[in-house]
Amino acid sequence: MNDNTIKIYCVSIFFIALISTGILSFRDYGIAWDEPIQRATGCISVRYIGERFAPFLLTERVRYYPDLDDFHDRDYGVAFDVPAIILEQIFGLSDDRDVFMFSHLLVFLVFAGGVYAVYRLSSRRFNNWCFGLLTASFLVLSPRIFAESFYNSKDIVFMAAFAIALNTMIAFLIKPNIFKALLHAFATAFATDIRIIGIILFAATILILAIKIARKETDTSKALISMCTYCIITFAFIIAMFPWLWSDPFANFITAFKNMSHFRWGGEVLYMGDSIPATELPWHYSLVWISITTPIFYIFLSLAGFILTLKDVVLRGIRFWSNDVEMQDLVFATLSILPIVLVIVLNSVLYDGWRHLYFIYPAILLVATKGWVLLWKLRLPSSLHKYTLALLTLIFLGYNIYWMKTYHPNQNVYFNFLAGNGWRHNYEVDYWGLGNRQALEYILDNDQSPIINVWPDSATPLENSFMMLEPDQRSRLRKAFDTSAPLYVLTNYRGVKNIDDSKYSNEYDLFYQIKIGDEVILSVYKKRLG
């Protein structure tokens, strides 16, 4: 077989394996806290669209939701949610379990598209499809990212859309033409209409292309025509895919951008053992969370890649880049760092770890791949370092696979050794409430009572998890503190200060636990009879 045939086989096998894994796994995950809220946001926009263009197509489930103008979160982008609701209606899904299972599959498919975009970005930058698959593997074998690729329809979908738009941006900047301008315009608009911060890709595209035109690094007339086309079509797509903008595009867009930088949430988060208001987080919050939840091998490689890129930039001085390869490196490094800097400078509200910054993760991994390639291409007397690097890479990736398989479907509670021991006392753990479904299914399988009371003793969306159960099982559960029927108390410790499981010892017996290593992330206690 020639090299191209080998490439086709290997790339095809990788993505077939990825899609197959997703299809086999999407039913295993619980429901995240925000999923019903996110779906409601989509339904409200679908109602808004339907009432203006096809009111006869609206179902009663959609008509139930309030008007868009009266909705508190009307400034949320819905470029993913609206198509998801439309597909849900086309397939006639009505039961909550089917609706959210279908949503999990859609989120994963979008994630897979983002993985492919990362593969293309890496293989283009390093001119090697093997390195492309390496970066794609880094992304897939990131435990938290993999788990959330099924249910996080906000941050993971935006991360994937951002990666896709970044890929179209690089292709457009290297060789601008009308077709690539149209493709990149749609990708930019799609990302921006999921999270408004996606507009930074528009700014980056215009800035870099303007510099290339000024330096005569590209055909001036073709680049100018392509740039104008990109600008016009991008904003046309942004408005078209964001119904709330229709009434007043400019003013509403500015409002959405301002709201994004100072998000309206005033709760507390657990950070380094203290409960801290989300509006008063220390500057290092995002950096620490990235450090303790990213596989340590990737962190080491990304640091090497950053140092190399910084060295190259310093040596080039004000010119920044001298060819398209250096331009790509600068883009990846800047997109990895700039959003973190903006969060720190603007004192932005963050919570639940660093999920609001997931969109920078592909860029971080591209920088990490640069670090890996640097080590691979070191000019040493022998090739022993290459075998060592290859072996270490296989060991670290193999460990990630082992860990993810061992703790499936709770990969969302992954910490590396930098988090130290006793991390459930120091950081938010199962903040999505994903483990609730497993706990409820265990209770139902081991208690055949017709009515079962379950009471949450922590800040967790227990009733959401009812929707992920079969209808006959769902009907047996009550969220109530009623001792006339079997009573179970569930806690995932979120929002619980001074965690002390002995508080249940007098009246309850431990019934079920979910552990990650030696750390308990969820417990269920059953009230003693009599």
Side-chain angles (χ1 to χ4, degrees):
M1 290 190 295
N2 59 38
D3 289 344
N4 190 56
T5 303
I6 294 173
K7 169 188 172 182
I8 292 172
Y9 273 114
C10 291
V11 174
S12 298
I13 289 171
F14 178 90
F15 283 98
I16 289 171
L18 174 62
I19 297 297
S20 299
T21 300
I23 291 173
L24 292 173
S25 303
F26 78 92
R27 294 181 180 85
D28 299 342
Y29 291 87
I31 185 170
W33 196 313
D34 287 353
E35 284 190 81
I37 301 170
Q38 198 68 14
R39 182 178 177 277
T41 303
C43 286
I44 289 168
S45 289
V46 167
R47 176 188 168 183
Y48 182 86
I49 297 167
E51 287 178 341
R52 280 149 184 79
F53 298 104
F56 58 92
L57 293 177
L58 293 178
T59 65
E60 288 302 316
R61 285 173 65 89
V62 172
R63 292 180 187 276
Y64 163 81
Y65 290 92
D67 187 76
L68 180 62
D69 292 330
D70 299 326
F71 183 49
H72 181 256
D73 293 329
R74 56 187 176 274
D75 54 345
Y76 279 21
V78 291
F80 170 79
D81 303 294
V82 165
I85 299 301
I86 292 173
L87 286 173
E88 171 193 316
Q89 302 300 308
I90 290 173
F91 289 117
L93 303 178
S94 58
D95 184 75
D96 289 329
R97 175 183 167 87
D98 296 333
V99 164
F100 288 107
M101 288 290 189
F102 179 66
S103 175
H104 288 187
L105 178 60
L106 288 182
V107 173
F108 181 81
L109 292 177
V110 173
F111 168 73
V115 174
Y116 182 75
V118 168
Y119 158 75
R120 292 286 298 134
L121 282 161
S122 182
S123 58
R124 179 193 296 113
R125 158 59 185 89
F126 301 105
N127 195 31
N128 189 311
W129 62 268
C130 294
F131 295 153
L133 287 183
L134 179 66
T135 314
S137 298
F138 287 167
L139 179 56
V140 173
L141 299 179
S142 299
R144 283 180 174 254
I145 299 297
F146 180 80
E148 296 195 32
S149 71
F150 293 95
Y151 51 79
N152 189 343
S153 59
K154 294 162 63 172
D155 310 297
I156 292 296
V157 168
F158 179 55
M159 182 195 76
F162 196 88
I164 292 168
L166 179 58
N167 180 49
T168 59
M169 182 182 92
I170 296 298
F172 177 58
L173 291 174
I174 291 175
K175 191 174 181 180
N177 58 45
I178 297 298
F179 175 75
K180 290 180 179 178
L182 294 173
L183 196 63
H184 182 41
F186 177 79
T188 303
F190 182 70
T192 303
D193 284 345
I194 294 172
R195 278 252 167 91
I196 205 76
I197 190 63
I199 199 65
I200 66 174
L201 287 174
F202 175 83
T205 301
I206 298 303
L207 176 62
I208 294 171
L209 190 54
I211 293 174
K212 288 172 73 74
I213 292 172
R215 292 179 179 178
K216 301 187 184 303
E217 295 177 359
T218 186
D219 184 292
T220 301
S221 59
K222 184 181 290 186
L224 285 171
I225 293 172
S226 299
M227 180 190 288
C228 292
T229 301
Y230 171 68
C231 291
I232 295 169
I233 301 302
T234 296
F235 281 103
F237 277 137
I238 287 175
I239 295 169
M241 292 191 289
F242 199 161
W244 184 59
L245 298 182
W246 295 355
S247 60
D248 193 346
F250 182 76
N252 287 353
F253 186 88
I254 296 300
T255 298
F257 192 84
K258 288 180 178 179
N259 291 344
M260 175 275 302
S261 60
H262 292 91
F263 189 72
R264 47 186 179 271
W265 193 77
E268 292 188 343
V269 299
L270 180 63
Y271 181 63
M272 292 188 172
D274 295 321
S275 291
I276 304 173
T279 54
E280 300 175 13
L281 294 176
W283 66 269
H284 46 74
Y285 179 82
S286 58
L287 291 172
V288 169
W289 264 101
I290 292 171
S291 299
I292 64 177
T293 59
T294 302
I296 202 72
F297 185 56
Y298 305 168
I299 294 175
F300 168 77
L301 292 175
S302 63
L303 289 175
F306 277 122
I307 291 171
L308 182 60
T309 300
L310 180 61
K311 178 181 75 70
D312 293 341
V313 171
V314 170
L315 291 176
R316 286 191 297 270
I318 195 171
R319 188 167 178 80
F320 295 118
W321 71 82
S322 58
N323 55 51
D324 287 330
V325 168
E326 294 174 354
M327 180 267 291
Q328 292 175 70
D329 286 345
L330 184 60
V331 168
F332 300 153
T334 302
L335 289 178
S336 300
I337 297 172
L338 182 60
I340 298 175
V341 173
L342 290 175
V343 163
I344 294 171
V345 171
L346 295 174
N347 193 29
S348 299
V349 173
L350 299 178
Y351 53 94
D352 300 341
W354 64 289
R355 66 183 183 88
H356 301 94
L357 287 169
Y358 279 173
F359 69 95
I360 70 174
Y361 194 52
I364 291 175
L365 294 181
L366 287 161
V367 174
T369 305
K370 181 177 180 177
W372 195 95
V373 173
L374 165 68
L375 297 174
W376 180 261
K377 292 185 175 181
L378 285 175
R379 295 181 180 179
L380 298 177
S382 74
S383 297
L384 180 61
H385 72 286
K386 291 188 176 181
Y387 295 110
T388 303
L389 179 61
L391 179 60
L392 286 174
T393 302
L394 289 174
I395 289 173
F396 278 107
L397 294 183
Y399 173 77
N400 287 353
I401 293 173
Y402 167 79
W403 194 97
M404 291 164 69
K405 186 175 184 298
T406 300
Y407 296 110
H408 178 80
N410 299 301
Q411 300 98 336
N412 59 302
V413 190
Y414 168 85
F415 290 93
N416 63 37
F417 74 86
L418 295 178
N421 296 322
W423 40 257
R424 79 169 171 123
H425 297 272
N426 296 320
Y427 302 99
E428 301 286 359
V429 185
D430 184 18
Y431 46 75
W432 287 115
L434 275 301
N436 294 349
R437 176 189 171 188
Q438 293 168 257
L440 294 175
E441 289 176 337
Y442 185 87
I443 293 170
L444 289 164
D445 288 343
N446 291 275
D447 190 330
Q448 301 307 312
S449 304
I451 298 296
I452 298 173
N453 295 306
V454 184
W455 184 255
D457 193 25
S458 58
T460 188
L462 183 63
E463 287 178 293
N464 287 356
S465 297
F466 289 6
M467 296 187 287
M468 298 301 287
L469 306 173
E470 296 287 355
D472 59 328
Q473 297 286 70
R474 191 187 310 156
S475 64
R476 296 170 55 205
L477 292 174
R478 301 287 185 275
K479 180 186 174 184
F481 202 92
D482 179 4
T483 55
S484 64
L487 172 63
Y488 298 85
V489 173
L490 178 151
T491 179
N492 69 352
Y493 306 100
R494 189 179 190 195
V496 178
K497 297 182 179 180
N498 302 318
I499 295 173
D500 183 5
D501 292 334
S502 65
K503 64 183 283 190
Y504 304 104
S505 59
N506 291 333
E507 300 180 61
Y508 296 85
D509 293 317
L510 179 64
F511 188 74
Y512 176 73
Q513 283 187 328
I514 298 177
K515 289 185 175 183
I516 303 296
D518 295 328
E519 300 284 350
V520 178
I521 65 168
L522 179 148
S523 298
V524 177
Y525 296 87
K526 183 177 182 180
K527 189 173 179 62
R528 298 191 191 107
L529 298 177

